[in-house]
């Protein structure tokens, strides 16, 4: 009996060794997702990036709907199977670092956090730039001079986007008013829809959502107003209403990062990629968007692309009236919790 | 005034899926069977309604299919709790897993598909009643159907022979058994019938509120309905009020922000549950004095036929 | 001919083991069909899952880490159930435990020596969970309000309370204002075993299980609890104060669930953040039920449930099974196990007589 067991263990070890040897050519890549790939938003966008890696010949796998409270074990499993592990929710930050320490030979990349170690880095995209550009269109298309935003949970990332949208819309209409309704949840389609309805009832005629589902696009369509999609192209859910969407193109980053690991040039760091890399961008515009508005948006886009300007680098007024004159550092942007002028209500917790 | 009416309209819209699910829960619990798997059943109902709607374009088929599908799935719960005498609570949790999984699995390919949401049909005459008319009688067909279900459930439970037996097996199964009433049959009927209504509650999401499919579309409403059954004191009429009150709480969370009223949204989230506990306690105290039972006496208890102590 | 079920007069331990063994076999058979249907070769699936879980040290580590909170919550539910009280509020008591112990860390971290700090955290987690648990106990004891309902509803309240703190006063400005508290210093962290994530919470859980088992089986208090569960009238005649006992048992049950929260936060996360409990309180109900509410049985059933969860992850990673299929699979497994439990309490009898 004992012989049998030791034999079994021997076979297992050989199997493990053989299989790990097989990965030696191209690195294999694992993804840990916070939502289901069918969420049509955040996780779906990351999964499109993963599929791009597959197409490029990399072996990948993923685990979806991993709750933060349980992520450490899943990340560890992925670390054993893969050479590179991407973890795509803020709440995975500490577990990622912890597992990175236990698996020094694996490379870890955590999305949206701020901690690094020898074999763990983080990455994110400057989505606020895309939101800013989308809002130039939104501000120009609003006849009532009022934009409504459906907020998910009040974390700095979302507040940064809300501010970028407000500043962008002011480019087209300096007097534009922006109203935010928080659903205080990451996912609740019915409530997102109701929030959009409340915003429309209150006079908004362009709805921007920070939540993942297409509920707001549909509500906008029903009411005959416009909407801007979030994270992925939502035009399929209501092209009559869909002005454009500020989307993630994670494939750009994933290809680059995986290649860097593959040829040994990868270094831990905080990659916060901007519009110029293509990691964020806009989808095609609604046919009703006038050419002049697109030209205007493209002018701002050109400035961002050339590095001549960024959204929060040339001063703005906070909602409470204080002036910000110097450019914000990345750290200040990442911890943003105040609103800029132009927003109707107060920022939560301020 | 408009603002006020809009809140009430939103409360009815948000409350309607809760109402169907609560009615389903009331029927099941009146017979003595707790169903914690409501979230799973609603998701099954939502998925099936969406798929059938997408393929047939017929609301009636969609709703009927949702009811049938959830009815079939709730048979598992009935079978495990009643025939195999497992814990109703544990089985309900298993049902949540099962329903969530089932809906996610078959909803996999539906991303990007949409259906036409149910249209509002003003009821001639009634819809011009001030306030009430536009809140209650300018709604879609499923909302009207929910009024009918409230009345029917009430009639079933309190005015029909069938309902009397359902309530009896939930109160005193041993007595029923000795009188020759089949406890298990009535319970089975109540669980499956209730399950069908819960499924219709799920169907309201893709057919009216959010006319597309996304994983977990009901976003935890099934769990609210579990609490609502209690809040309604196992009474279909109170379920109507309770569902709209919870719907109002959901609608208010957003509209208070419109008004610029600064209340922690998390306290608003707690409020309905704290209220339910308070009211339940007060009513229990009052009824204790009068010697009335609020809750079906055999709720959650396993019934075993033929065991003689 | 007629087939019917007869209640077993007393279930022998061997009989129980036999039934449990058959239940596991049934699980394996049903899984076999499940794998076939979803297009996985069952034989290789068993092999890979088995190897991953049982033949690697990581597999064992995962099992033990996953098992730790379930031991606590399972025990919490089982203790109350010994008195025929259904505590389905372990989830909320877990949260209130994390709340109370995090309060300690936020106020005393760095000011108290390590050992004292941990003990203080443990005590507060027990008080937090215990007070929360005693609410349904109090309402039940004094007014007869159904405990299933109140304990369930309090879960929602506790979850909202944690969100309120995380999005408000407890948000850490140094973590970019994300809804997480600051990281605990090492003094507030439970030690881990070597370079693994298995932490001292597991030991605490085992000690607690032993203590609860001893109280239930060997002390007068335990006898009173069990007697009240079996026959409240007899208990009342023999002078047990059912009111006091109900509140006490609920408080103890809540305290144990609160410790689950302590163990997770101080042993794994080192800070309070959203989604720390992923339904451990609810899973605890299943754990307790499978253990027939016996504290020692909780160890076995928590182990079993960990296998169910961990193997689901292996299937996801190895076979790319979508999460929905995993939920479906878990649902089927749970139904199977729940359903087959019937044969421990009842036996099939076939007669030719018309009864």
């Amino acid at each position: 009996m004992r012989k049998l067991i030791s034999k079994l263990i021997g076979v297992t070890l050989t199997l493990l060794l053989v299989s790990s040897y097989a990965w030696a050519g191209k690195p294999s890549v694992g993804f840990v997702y916070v939502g289901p790939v069918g969420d049509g938003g955040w996780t779906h966008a990351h999964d499109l990036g993963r599929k791009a890696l597959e197409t490029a010949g990399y072996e990948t796998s993923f685990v979806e709907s991993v709750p933060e409270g349980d992520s450490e074990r899943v990340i560890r499993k992925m670390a054993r199977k893969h050479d590179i592990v991407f973890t795509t929710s803020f709440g995975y930050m500490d577990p990622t670092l912890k597992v990175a320490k236990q698996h020094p030979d694996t490379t870890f990349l955590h999305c949206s956090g701020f901690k690094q170690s020898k074999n763990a880095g983080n990455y994110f995209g400057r989505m606020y730039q895309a939101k800013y550009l989308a809002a130039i269109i939104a501000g120009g298309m609003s006849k009532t001079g009022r934009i409504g935003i459906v907020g998910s949970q009040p974390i700095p990332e979302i507040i940064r986007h809300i501010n970028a949208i407000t500043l962008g819309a002011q480019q087209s209409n300096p007097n534009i008013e922006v109203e935010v309704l928080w659903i205080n949840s990451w996912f609740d389609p019915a409530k997102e829809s109701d929030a959009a309805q409340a915003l429309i009832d209150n006079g908004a005629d362009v709805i921007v959502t920070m939540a993942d589902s297409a509920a707001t696009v549909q509500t906008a369509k029903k009411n005959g107003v416009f909407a801007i999609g979030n994270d992925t192209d939502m035009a399929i859910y209501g092209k009559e209403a869909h002005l454009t969407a500020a989307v993630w193109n994670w494939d750009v980053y994933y290809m680059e990062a995986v290649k860097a690991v593959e040829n040994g040039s990868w270094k831990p760091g905080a990659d916060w990629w901007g519009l110029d890399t293509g990691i964020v961008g806009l989808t095609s515009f609604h046919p009703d968007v006038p050419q002049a508005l697109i030209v205007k948006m493209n002018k701002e886009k050109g400035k961002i692309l050339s590095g001549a300007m960024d959204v929060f680098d040339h001063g703005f007024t906070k909602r409470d009236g204080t002036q910000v004159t110097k450019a914000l550092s990345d750290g200040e942007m990442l911890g943003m919790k105040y609103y800029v002028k132009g927003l109707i209500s107060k920022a939560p917790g301020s | 005034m408009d603002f006020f009416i809009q809140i009430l309209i939103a409360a009815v819209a948000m409350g309607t899926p809760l109402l169907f699910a609560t009615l389903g829960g009331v029927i099941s619990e009146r017979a003595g069977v707790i169903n914690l798997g409501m979230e799973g059943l609603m998701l099954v109902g939502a998925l099936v309604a969406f798929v059938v709607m997408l393929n047939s374009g017929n609301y009636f088929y969609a709703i009927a299919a949702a009811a049938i599908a959830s009815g079939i799935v709730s048979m598992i719960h009935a079978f495990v709790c009643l025939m195999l005498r497992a814990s109703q609570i544990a089985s309900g949790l298993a049902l949540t897993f099962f329903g969530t999984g089932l809906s996610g699995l078959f909803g996999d390919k539906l991303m990007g598909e949409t259906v036409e949401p149910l249209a509002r049909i003003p009821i001639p005459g009634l819809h011009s009643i001030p306030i009430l008319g536009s809140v209650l009688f300018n709604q879609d067909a499923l909302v009207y159907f929910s009024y009918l279900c409230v009345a029917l459930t009430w009639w079933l439970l309190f005015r029909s022979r069938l309902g009397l037996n359902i309530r009896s097996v939930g109160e005193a199964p041993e007595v029923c058994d000795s009188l020759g009433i089949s406890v298990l049959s009535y319970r089975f009927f109540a669980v499956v019938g209730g399950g069908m209504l819960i499924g219709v509650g799920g169907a309201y999401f893709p057919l009216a509120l959010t006319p597309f499919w996304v994983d977990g579309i009901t976003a935890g409403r099934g769990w609210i309905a579990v609490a609502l059954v209690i809040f309604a004191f196992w009474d279909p009429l109170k379920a109507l009020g309770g569902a709209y009150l919870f719907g109002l709480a959901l609608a208010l969370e957003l509209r208070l922000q419109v008004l610029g009223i600064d209340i922690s949204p998390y306290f608003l989230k707690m409020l309905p549950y704290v209220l339910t506990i308070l009211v339940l306690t007060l009513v229990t105290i009052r009824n204790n004095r009068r010697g009335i039972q609020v809750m079906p006496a055999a709720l959650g208890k396993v019934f075993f036929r033929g065991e003689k102590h | 001919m007629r087939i019917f079920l007869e209640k077993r007069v007393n279930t022998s331990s061997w009989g129980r083991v036999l039934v449990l063994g058959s239940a596991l076999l049934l699980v394996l058979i049903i899984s076999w069909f499940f794998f076939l249907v979803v297009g996985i070769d069952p034989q290789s699936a068993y092999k890979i899952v088995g190897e991953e879980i049982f033949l690697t040290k990581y597999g064992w580590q995962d099992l033990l880490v996953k098992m730790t909170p379930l031991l606590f919550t399972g025990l919490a539910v089982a203790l109350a159930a010994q008195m025929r009280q259904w505590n389905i509020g372990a989830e909320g008591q877990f949260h209130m435990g994390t709340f109370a112990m995090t309060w300690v860390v936020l106020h005393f971290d760095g000011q108290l020596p390590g050992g004292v700090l941990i003990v203080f955290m443990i005590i507060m987690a027990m008080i937090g969970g215990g007070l929360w648990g005693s609410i349904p106990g109090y309402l039940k004891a004094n007014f007869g309000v159904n405990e299933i309902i109140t304990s369930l509803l309090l879960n929602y309240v506790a979850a909202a309370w944690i969100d309120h703190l995380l999005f408000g006063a407890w948000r850490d400005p140094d973590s970019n204002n994300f809804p997480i508290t600051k990281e605990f210093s090492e003094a507030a962290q439970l030690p881990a075993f070597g370079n693994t994530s298995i932490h001292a919470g597991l030991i605490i859980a085992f000690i607690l299980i032993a203590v609860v088992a001893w109280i239930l089986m060997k002390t007068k208090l335990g006898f009173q609890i069990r007697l009240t569960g079996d026959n409240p009238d007899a208990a009342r005649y023999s002078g047990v104060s059912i009111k006091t006992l109900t509140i006490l048992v609920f408080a103890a049950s809540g305290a144990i669930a609160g410790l689950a929260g302590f163990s997770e936060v101080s042993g794994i996360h080192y800070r309070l953040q959203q989604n720390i409990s992923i339904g451990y309180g609810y899973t605890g109900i299943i754990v307790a039920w499978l253990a027939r509410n016996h504290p020692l049985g909780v160890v076995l059933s928590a182990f079993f449930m960990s296998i169910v969860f961990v193997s689901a992850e292996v299937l996801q990673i190895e076979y790319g099974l979508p999460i929905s299929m995993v939920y479906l699979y878990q649902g089927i497994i749970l139904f199977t196990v729940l359903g087959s439990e019937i044969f421990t309490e009842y036996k099939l009898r076939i007669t030719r007589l018309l009864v």
Side-chain angles (χ1 to χ4, degrees):
Chain A
M1 188 65 191
R2 188 176 292 169
K3 244 185 196 163
L4 186 72
I5 290 174
S6 62
K7 218 177 193 173
L8 266 177
I9 293 174
V11 169
T12 318
L13 285 177
T14 328
L15 270 176
L16 284 174
L17 281 174
V18 167
S19 45
S20 62
Y21 186 75
W23 301 328
K26 273 188 154 191
S28 81
V29 192
F31 287 81
V32 183
Y33 297 142
V34 71
V37 292
D39 70 353
W42 175 257
T43 297
H44 181 64
H46 282 287
D47 201 51
L48 292 177
R50 181 190 66 84
K51 283 182 179 149
L53 286 176
E54 285 258 293
T55 315
Y58 294 98
E59 190 201 318
T60 71
S61 79
F62 67 90
V63 187
E64 56 184 333
S65 295
V66 177
E68 271 111 349
D70 212 12
S71 58
E72 188 185 314
R73 293 177 316 97
V74 177
I75 296 170
R76 188 177 307 117
K77 276 223 171 71
M78 294 306 258
R80 288 173 47 221
K81 195 175 156 63
H82 294 290
D83 305 305
I84 307 171
V85 177
F86 290 98
T87 56
T88 62
S89 172
F90 178 79
Y92 297 159
M93 181 170 67
D94 291 335
T96 304
L97 267 284
K98 204 166 160 187
V99 177
K101 218 165 119 191
Q102 296 169 342
H103 293 266
D105 298 332
T106 307
T107 306
F108 294 84
L109 282 152
H110 172 246
C111 185
S112 80
F114 53 84
K115 283 186 179 173
Q116 292 113 38
S117 74
K118 203 164 87 285
N119 58 330
N122 21 71
Y123 64 101
F124 209 10
R126 294 181 191 269
M127 179 49 108
Y128 66 90
Q129 295 172 336
K131 298 271 182 200
Y132 174 82
L133 296 178
I136 295 175
I137 304 289
M141 294 301 286
S142 171
K143 292 191 183 66
T144 59
R146 202 172 170 106
I147 290 177
I149 299 182
V150 177
S152 47
Q153 300 222 48
I155 61 167
E157 178 193 341
I158 305 291
I159 290 180
R160 184 167 69 245
H161 293 168
I162 288 171
N163 287 336
I165 288 165
T166 310
L167 294 177
Q170 284 167 356
Q171 290 295 314
S172 297
N173 176 358
N175 298 319
I176 197 117
E177 290 179 311
V178 181
E179 177 163 35
V180 186
L181 291 185
W182 295 97
I183 60 165
N184 294 302
S185 165
W186 291 118
F187 176 82
D188 193 334
K191 213 164 167 188
E192 290 160 30
S193 167
D194 190 36
Q197 188 63 51
L199 288 164
I200 295 165
D201 289 344
N202 213 20
D205 62 352
V206 181
I207 304 297
V208 190
T209 179
M210 302 285 133
D212 267 347
S213 88
T216 43
V217 177
Q218 292 242 326
T219 308
K221 178 181 148 193
K222 201 166 92 185
N223 286 272
V225 302
F226 292 121
I228 288 190
N230 182 44
D231 285 355
T232 52
D233 192 347
M234 293 178 173
I236 37 172
Y237 290 100
K239 58 180 187 333
E240 303 88 332
H242 195 265
L243 283 179
T244 178
V247 296
W248 292 104
N249 305 310
W250 291 108
D251 51 329
V252 188
Y253 178 77
Y254 287 146
M255 292 299 280
E256 189 87 13
V258 169
K259 271 187 201 135
V261 176
E262 190 175 4
N263 59 33
S265 64
W266 182 82
K267 298 243 173 338
D271 295 322
W272 201 12
W273 284 19
L275 196 67
D276 51 329
T277 64
I279 193 171
V280 294
L282 299 184
T283 58
S284 55
F285 299 109
H286 192 283
D288 288 357
V289 177
Q291 203 52 42
L293 198 56
I294 297 180
V295 170
K296 183 176 194 149
M297 188 278 300
N298 275 331
K299 219 175 104 200
E300 290 290 304
K301 186 175 168 185
K303 283 197 255 173
I304 295 178
L305 287 177
S306 69
M309 184 211 82
D310 195 9
V311 179
F312 298 107
D313 75 341
H314 52 285
F316 55 88
T317 313
K318 288 190 192 174
R319 187 179 172 278
D320 61 12
T322 41
Q323 294 282 332
V324 176
T325 47
K326 61 177 183 40
L328 295 188
S329 69
D330 280 1
E332 285 168 321
M333 275 193 265
L334 286 169
M336 209 174 230
K337 61 177 202 176
Y338 54 81
Y339 279 167
V340 299
K341 200 175 151 213
L343 280 147
I344 295 175
S345 49
K346 285 196 305 173
S350 68
Chain B
M1 199 60 198
D2 267 358
F3 182 71
F4 179 64
I5 291 175
Q6 281 156 3
I7 293 180
L8 294 181
I9 292 175
V12 171
M14 299 295 258
T16 297
L18 294 174
L19 178 55
F20 279 115
T22 308
L23 289 176
V26 166
I27 297 178
S28 170
E29 294 199 8
R30 274 285 177 181
V33 185
I34 297 177
N35 191 344
L36 285 191
M38 285 201 199
E39 178 76 0
L41 285 178
M42 284 180 92
L43 280 169
V44 170
L47 175 89
V48 171
F50 183 72
V51 172
V52 173
M53 186 62 204
L54 199 62
N55 290 307
S56 72
N58 184 318
Y59 293 108
F60 178 76
Y61 292 162
I63 295 162
I68 292 168
S70 320
I72 291 172
V73 173
S74 48
M75 278 182 195
I76 305 175
H77 182 56
F79 181 71
V80 171
C81 301
L82 300 175
M83 312 301 167
L84 300 179
R85 299 180 179 89
S87 149
Q88 296 173 4
I89 290 167
S91 168
L93 294 172
L95 189 62
T96 306
F97 277 111
F98 187 84
T100 311
L102 200 65
S103 65
L105 192 59
F106 290 100
D108 199 26
K109 298 280 176 292
L110 297 172
M111 205 156 84
E113 304 281 1
T114 56
V115 297
E116 193 57 37
L118 280 163
R120 290 203 168 149
I121 309 165
I123 294 188
L126 289 174
H127 85 275
S128 43
I129 303 170
I131 305 174
L132 271 188
S134 42
V135 174
L136 294 177
F137 301 112
N138 184 19
Q139 294 281 4
D140 56 59
L142 259 180
V143 174
Y144 300 138
F145 181 57
S146 74
Y147 304 157
L148 189 68
C149 284
V150 171
L152 281 178
T153 312
W154 180 83
W155 179 84
L156 171 87
L157 284 176
F158 298 108
R159 287 292 177 274
S160 75
R161 181 81 209 168
L162 178 63
L164 179 66
N165 287 347
I166 287 177
R167 284 186 294 131
S168 307
V169 300
E171 292 289 343
E174 284 80 13
V175 177
C176 290
D177 190 47
S178 64
L179 292 174
I181 297 171
S182 167
V183 176
L184 294 189
S185 312
Y186 281 103
R187 286 193 170 173
F188 195 89
F189 172 82
V191 171
V192 175
M196 293 172 85
L197 275 178
I198 297 170
V200 176
Y204 195 69
F205 284 86
L207 295 186
L209 290 176
T210 46
F212 55 92
W213 172 259
V214 59
D215 256 9
I217 194 168
T218 51
R221 296 295 191 285
W223 291 100
I224 298 185
V226 169
L228 258 170
V229 176
I230 302 142
F231 187 78
F233 287 97
W234 301 272
D235 179 340
L237 301 179
K238 291 191 183 117
L240 181 79
Y244 291 160
L245 202 64
F246 271 61
L248 185 66
L250 288 167
L252 260 187
E253 187 185 334
L254 298 167
R255 268 72 178 190
L256 285 178
Q257 296 178 45
V258 172
L259 294 176
I261 296 172
D262 203 7
I263 300 179
S264 163
Y266 308 103
F267 285 127
L268 277 177
K269 274 185 188 170
M270 291 177 201
L271 199 64
Y273 302 107
V274 176
L275 264 181
T276 308
I277 294 173
L278 280 180
V279 172
L280 182 70
T281 307
L282 291 176
V283 172
T284 310
I285 293 172
R286 198 192 65 188
N287 288 6
N288 284 348
R289 275 197 212 121
R290 297 185 191 163
I292 312 170
Q293 270 280 350
V294 192
M295 198 185 87
L299 186 61
K301 294 194 180 111
V302 169
F303 170 72
F304 178 67
R305 184 170 186 231
E307 84 188 75
K308 307 271 187 277
H309 282 295
Chain C
M1 197 177 84
R2 199 183 146 102
I3 303 170
F4 66 96
L5 291 164
E6 188 179 71
K7 191 151 188 155
R8 289 180 196 271
V9 182
N10 44 24
T11 316
S12 70
S13 335
W14 277 115
R16 230 187 115 59
V17 169
L18 199 70
V19 170
L20 272 180
S22 345
L24 284 180
L25 198 68
L26 196 59
V27 166
L28 288 178
I29 294 170
I30 288 190
S31 307
W32 186 282
F33 283 110
F34 181 83
F35 292 145
L36 276 183
V37 169
V38 301
I40 294 175
D41 172 28
Q43 214 170 337
S44 85
Y46 285 151
K47 192 158 161 273
I48 287 182
V49 171
E51 281 168 0
E52 268 295 310
I53 295 181
F54 298 114
L55 294 179
T56 63
K57 78 171 201 238
Y58 297 102
W60 281 101
Q61 181 182 335
D62 272 3
L63 278 182
L64 294 176
V65 170
K66 183 82 195 183
M67 192 175 151
T68 306
L70 297 180
L71 287 173
F72 284 107
T73 53
L75 182 67
V77 179
L79 173 61
Q82 284 280 346
M83 218 176 116
R84 299 280 153 86
Q85 299 295 317
W86 309 117
N87 177 15
I88 50 179
E91 185 79 5
Q93 293 142 19
F94 178 110
H95 279 127
M96 293 317 264
T98 65
F99 153 66
M101 59 89 68
T102 306
W103 178 84
V104 172
V105 180
L106 294 181
H107 288 85
F108 297 99
D109 198 358
Q111 294 168 37
L112 292 173
V116 180
L117 183 67
I118 289 272
V119 171
F120 192 15
M121 284 158 69
I122 291 180
I123 293 171
M124 283 307 287
M126 292 178 74
I127 292 178
L131 282 179
W132 204 247
S134 63
I135 299 173
Y138 178 82
L139 294 176
K140 170 77 181 242
N142 286 292
F143 311 117
V145 184
N146 182 271
E147 79 283 1
I148 299 180
I149 288 150
T150 44
S151 61
L152 173 72
L153 295 186
L154 283 169
N155 291 344
Y156 305 88
V157 181
W161 174 243
I162 298 290
D163 269 357
H164 170 72
L165 291 169
L166 287 177
F167 280 98
W170 284 8
R171 188 193 276 245
D172 176 26
D174 295 332
S175 303
N176 289 343
N177 289 315
F178 268 94
I180 57 179
T181 66
K182 74 177 169 95
E183 195 167 359
F184 297 178
S185 78
E186 241 169 71
Q189 301 177 3
L190 276 176
F193 294 98
N195 193 20
T196 72
S197 292
I198 307 166
H199 54 88
L202 186 66
I203 308 282
I204 301 178
F206 278 125
I207 295 174
L208 205 62
I209 285 175
V211 171
V212 172
W214 177 74
I215 292 176
L216 276 175
M217 303 306 155
K218 301 281 178 208
T219 67
K220 191 177 162 216
L221 177 68
F223 174 73
Q224 289 182 340
I225 292 173
R226 286 183 293 130
L227 180 63
T228 312
D230 287 341
N231 192 340
D233 291 328
R236 205 170 289 122
Y237 287 129
S238 67
V240 177
S241 165
I242 293 185
K243 261 190 192 180
T244 322
L245 204 59
T246 305
I247 299 176
L248 182 76
V249 164
F250 256 99
S253 175
I256 297 170
L259 276 178
F262 159 79
S263 152
E264 284 300 284
V265 173
S266 181
I268 303 268
H269 301 284
Y270 308 143
R271 61 162 37 121
L272 191 59
Q273 62 180 44
Q274 287 184 295
N275 304 331
I276 285 204
S277 174
I278 40 167
Y280 290 130
Y282 296 108
T283 314
I285 300 167
I286 300 174
V287 169
W289 199 80
L290 292 180
R292 275 285 179 263
N293 306 321
H294 193 293
L296 300 178
V298 165
V299 179
L300 274 183
S301 58
F303 187 67
F304 172 77
M305 286 304 290
S306 314
I307 296 176
V308 171
F309 285 115
V310 173
S311 60
E313 280 153 19
V314 177
L315 288 175
Q316 263 198 89
I317 295 171
E318 297 293 332
Y319 293 98
L321 223 58
I323 187 78
S324 50
M325 229 178 258
V326 170
Y327 288 146
L328 190 66
Y329 177 66
Q330 286 172 338
I332 293 173
I333 296 298
L334 288 179
F335 277 132
T336 310
V337 181
L338 291 173
S340 45
E341 271 290 289
I342 187 174
F343 298 109
T344 54
E345 277 204 21
Y346 305 90
K347 61 183 174 198
L348 269 182
R349 246 183 76 175
I350 303 170
T351 63
R352 277 162 205 283
L353 292 169
L354 274 171
V355 182

